[in-house]
């Protein structure tokens, strides 16, 4: 008898990916396809739903071709991908608005208006410092009234793809619980839409999908889509989870008190908890519902941290013959490793895309304290250290609100986990052990765990996740550096408050 296979579809911003895994956790087919987008003006980032769906079909077909006759063994499909945005669809699954992700900033005036009156309620109830679906839906209704009249549901991109693959009635559209927080419209503790917030933003609940658990089967691959993809019809479609949450499951972060740092384009540190306790004072973290029912992740991300490092490499470290940024990063990483902790007096703020938690678009980048002795390696290391300070400040808030957890160990994943510099630097700055892991495909594999659990192939989610991942290396903090880094961490925190006025003055300096 052929062994069952599990498929994950990753709906990324730049690429759509399909991956197929055996029940032993080993990938047997992988495919990716770039996503077409349009950027006709500053702040406009358009991704037509039809183009996204075409990329999904193309990657599935490619994976099926790799599988050959084994394609008939695909037993379930689960979904992961980008977690913030909104799109409106008609009763026939027509994309009326295009998919508006976090990079599409046309909605911002609506966001600022909502934040004026609902800032605290968004954080207390939905668990987010800056929601996406609430203001984007308001913007779509306000700026595109004709499309709004025809809109049956406002969805995340995963809900749209699932609907297209299954041809389920739009009235039965779903959103898995991992996405609920960043909509700004949900009561995160109840896994339900919040009547108070819906009333405040003027949105009817009938326009929203049903919130479901991540390991729930709710549809099947339609006959039409089976012919399009080459898969058998009737394959169960499982909700899955957003990429951050699926990545936590794939990395085995499933026990309250466990922490994980993803050093990637949007660097993020998260802690698994069994209840949400909002940080109303400093507003350092959001909360995301876990793929494990009843659990949550308190989480903080540094918007565009990895993108800022790419910016530095592309503008100041790229050399003729470099085909991409990887060579430049390796070059800078080697230089940074030779620089003493603290960068010999140079400090930076690497928040080139603003501060996300607390939400503050006025904050930008900064280098301070450099002189003629500092070179490119100092500046690159100063950026790395700035992110380490940012995340270490957050782990202090985790400890403040969750004192019952030890919080002494952090799993490190993403591009930074491959660096020769980052793991030890994070450990030294944070005063905690940082451990790298023995696999890299965390979100895709996490989605497959959910698919396997949903059809009974795997038992308990947490036990399954732990079974398929292990630590590769552990980095202990250097006690001799603790005092120096603590002083700089406090200074970094002060910079974010005290320099705000200067950032605003720079932004307005030419206004007369």
């Amino acid at each position: 008898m052929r062994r069952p296979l599990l498929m994950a579809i990753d709906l990324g911003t730049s690429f759509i990916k399909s991956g197929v895994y055996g029940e032993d956790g080993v990938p047997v087919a992988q495919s990716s396809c770039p996503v077409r987008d349009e950027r006709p003006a500053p702040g406009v980032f358009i991704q037509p739903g039809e183009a996204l769906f075409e990329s999904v079909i193309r990657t599935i077909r490619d994976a099926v071709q790799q599988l050959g006759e084994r394609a008939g063994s695909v037993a379930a499909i689960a979904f992961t991908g980008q977690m913030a945005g909104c799109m409106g669809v008609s009763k026939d699954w027509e994309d009326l608005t295009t998919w508006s992700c976090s990079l599409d900033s046309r909605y911002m005036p609506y966001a600022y208006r909502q934040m004026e009156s609902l800032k605290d309620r968004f954080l207390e109830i939905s668990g987010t410092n800056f929601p996406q679906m609430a203001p984007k839906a308001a913007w779509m209704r306000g700026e595109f009234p004709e499309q709004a009249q025809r809109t049956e549901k406002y969805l995340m991109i995963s809900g749209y793809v699932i609907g297209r693959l299954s041809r389920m009635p739009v009235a039965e559209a779903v959103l898995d619980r991992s996405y609920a927080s960043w909509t700004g419209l949900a009561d995160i503790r109840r896994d339900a839409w919040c009547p108070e917030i819906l009333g405040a933003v003027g949105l009817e609940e009938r326009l929203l999908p049903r919130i479901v658990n991540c390991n729930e089967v709710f549809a099947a691959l339609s006959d039409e889509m089976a012919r399009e993809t080459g898969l058998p019809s009737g394959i169960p479609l499982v909700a899955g989870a957003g990429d951050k949450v699926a990545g936590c499951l794939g990395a085995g972060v499933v026990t309250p008190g466990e922490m994980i740092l993803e050093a990637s384009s949007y660097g993020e540190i998260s802690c698994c908890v069994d209840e949400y306790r909002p940080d109303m004072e400093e507003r350092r973290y959001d909360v995301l519902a876990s793929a494990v029912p009843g659990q949550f992740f308190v989480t903080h991300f540094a918007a565009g941290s990895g993108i800022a490092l790419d910016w530095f490499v592309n503008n100041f470290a790229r050399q003729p013959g470099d085909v991409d940024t990887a060579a430049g990063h390796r070059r800078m990483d080697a230089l940074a490793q030779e620089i003493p902790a603290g960068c010999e007096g140079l400090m930076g703020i690497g928040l080139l895309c603003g501060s996300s938690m607390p939400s503050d678009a006025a904050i930008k980048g900064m280098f301070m304290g450099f002189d003629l002795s500092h070179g490119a390696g100092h500046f690159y290391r100063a950026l790395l250290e700035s992110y380490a300070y940012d995340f270490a400040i957050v782990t202090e808030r985790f400890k403040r609100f969750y004192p019952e957890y030890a919080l002494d160990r952090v799993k490190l994943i993403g591009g930074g986990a491959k660096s020769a510099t980052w793991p030890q630097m994070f450990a030294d700055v944070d005063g905690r052990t940082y451990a790298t892991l023995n696999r890299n495909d965390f979100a895709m594999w996490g989605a497959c765990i959910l698919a396997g659990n949903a059809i009974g192939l795997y038992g308990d989610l947490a036990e399954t996740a732990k079974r398929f991942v292990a630590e590769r290396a552990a980095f202990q903090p250097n006690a001799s550096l603790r005092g120096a880094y603590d002083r700089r961490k406090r200074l970094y925190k002060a910079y974010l408050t005290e320099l705000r006025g200067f950032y605003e003055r720079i932004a307005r300096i030419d206004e007369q």
Side-chain angles (χ1 to χ4, degrees):
M1 186 176 71
R2 290 187 300 187
R3 307 300 299 175
L5 299 175
L6 302 166
M7 175 177 281
I9 298 175
D10 185 350
L11 305 165
T13 305
S14 300
F15 289 88
I16 303 293
K17 303 174 184 176
S18 290
V20 182
Y21 289 74
E23 60 183 316
D24 58 358
V26 176
V28 295
Q30 301 280 337
S31 176
S32 68
C33 179
V35 175
R36 177 171 62 86
D37 62 65
E38 302 166 18
R39 311 181 194 191
V44 180
F45 191 89
I46 296 171
Q47 292 185 305
E50 192 61 43
L52 286 161
F53 190 67
E54 287 174 2
S55 294
V56 169
I57 297 300
R58 188 185 302 179
T59 63
I60 295 176
R61 284 176 181 160
D62 187 31
V64 166
Q65 188 173 19
Q66 295 175 44
L67 291 173
E69 63 177 18
R70 296 186 69 193
S73 297
V74 174
I77 304 173
F79 302 83
T80 185
Q82 51 187 306
M83 296 189 65
C86 184
M87 71 185 301
V89 301
S90 74
K91 63 180 180 180
D92 297 317
W93 291 102
E94 178 189 357
D95 171 18
L96 298 174
T97 62
T98 78
W99 166 244
S100 177
C101 70
S102 59
L103 297 176
D104 185 10
S105 61
R106 291 174 290 171
Y107 77 107
M108 290 301 288
Y110 290 81
Y112 289 132
R113 284 199 290 271
Q114 289 185 358
M115 290 293 285
E116 286 177 2
S117 59
L118 293 170
K119 180 180 180 179
D120 285 346
R121 301 307 277 161
F122 281 141
L123 186 56
E124 289 171 347
I125 300 173
S126 277
T128 181
N129 280 276
F130 205 87
Q132 291 278 310
M133 185 179 283
K136 281 183 179 287
W139 161 67
M140 289 171 179
R141 298 195 313 276
E143 302 299 321
F144 307 98
E146 183 178 336
Q147 290 88 337
Q149 284 291 322
R150 298 176 56 208
T151 296
E152 291 288 320
K153 292 289 181 183
Y154 290 103
L155 301 173
M156 293 297 296
I157 187 62
S158 61
Y160 169 73
V161 170
I162 290 165
R164 291 288 305 274
L165 287 173
S166 66
R167 300 305 298 178
M168 65 195 299
V170 168
E172 298 176 9
V174 297
L175 174 142
D176 76 71
R177 73 189 297 260
S178 71
Y179 292 101
S181 174
W182 284 342
T183 68
L185 299 167
D187 183 335
I188 193 70
R189 296 175 180 86
R190 295 175 50 244
D191 286 340
W193 301 116
C194 175
E196 176 191 340
I197 295 179
L198 291 177
V201 302
L203 187 63
E204 297 177 67
E205 186 172 339
R206 67 175 181 82
L207 294 171
L208 297 173
R210 177 170 60 98
I211 298 176
V212 299
N213 280 329
C214 300
N215 60 340
E216 186 173 330
V217 175
F218 52 85
L221 189 68
S222 70
D223 293 342
E224 177 190 356
M225 289 297 107
R227 290 190 295 271
E228 286 285 328
T229 60
L231 289 169
S233 65
I235 294 175
L237 302 181
V238 181
D243 52 8
K244 300 299 184 185
V245 174
C248 289
L249 180 65
V253 181
V254 289
T255 302
E258 290 185 322
M259 294 190 289
I260 184 169
L261 192 155
E262 181 183 5
S264 60
S265 296
Y266 272 56
E268 181 169 14
I269 191 162
S270 303
C271 178
C272 182
V273 297
D274 52 13
E275 68 174 308
Y276 171 46
R277 303 168 191 168
D279 179 3
M280 302 304 298
E281 180 185 0
E282 294 191 9
R283 312 179 79 94
R284 294 283 172 186
Y285 57 77
D286 281 8
V287 68
L288 299 174
S290 169
V292 178
Q295 291 185 354
F296 305 89
F297 291 102
V298 285
T299 186
H300 169 98
F301 68 84
S305 53
I307 296 171
L309 291 169
D310 285 344
W311 162 85
F312 183 89
V313 167
N314 282 324
N315 285 280
F316 307 110
R318 198 136 185 192
Q319 295 182 0
D322 288 353
V323 295
D324 54 29
T325 60
H329 278 295
R330 288 192 295 270
R331 200 177 298 121
M332 287 296 99
D333 200 62
L335 288 175
Q337 199 170 16
E338 300 302 317
I339 305 299
C343 297
E344 298 179 311
L346 171 61
M347 283 192 69
I349 293 177
L351 303 179
L352 275 62
C353 297
S355 172
S356 299
M357 301 171 195
S359 179
D360 191 345
I363 302 296
K364 303 294 182 185
M366 183 277 294
F367 288 110
M368 183 179 291
F370 58 95
D371 57 28
L372 295 175
S373 69
H374 294 95
H378 291 85
F379 285 88
Y380 187 79
R381 185 181 178 99
L383 282 177
L384 299 182
E385 289 187 349
S386 77
Y387 301 132
Y389 300 141
D390 207 74
F391 294 129
I393 290 168
V394 177
T395 59
E396 291 177 352
R397 299 305 286 176
F398 290 168
K399 189 64 178 177
R400 157 77 173 78
F401 283 89
Y402 297 92
E404 67 269 33
Y405 301 141
L407 302 182
D408 56 1
R409 200 174 192 87
V410 184
K411 293 181 177 180
L412 179 63
I413 66 174
K418 304 172 187 176
S419 164
T421 306
W422 291 33
Q424 188 62 55
M425 177 191 295
F426 281 131
D428 293 339
V429 171
D430 198 19
R432 292 173 169 82
T433 299
Y434 275 68
T436 57
L437 305 179
N438 65 340
R439 62 186 310 151
N440 300 310
D441 51 349
F442 300 102
M444 294 279 276
W445 172 236
C448 285
I449 291 174
L450 290 166
N453 174 264
I455 62 172
L457 183 63
Y458 300 136
D460 182 80
L461 282 172
E463 291 179 3
T464 302
K466 292 282 190 183
R467 193 165 76 243
F468 288 100
V469 69
E471 291 187 1
R472 173 178 288 148
F475 298 81
Q476 307 294 333
N478 186 338
S480 67
L481 298 175
R482 188 66 187 273
Y485 270 138
D486 278 350
R487 291 189 293 274
R488 286 165 174 80
K489 180 174 62 180
R490 289 193 294 270
L491 186 57
Y492 174 87
K493 188 175 181 179
Y495 281 160
L496 296 180
T497 301
E498 297 171 14
L499 293 178
R500 189 181 191 282
F502 288 94
Y503 284 120
E504 290 179 332
R505 287 164 63 182
I506 291 170
R508 298 195 307 265
I509 197 166
D510 292 323
E511 295 178 4
Q512 298 295 335

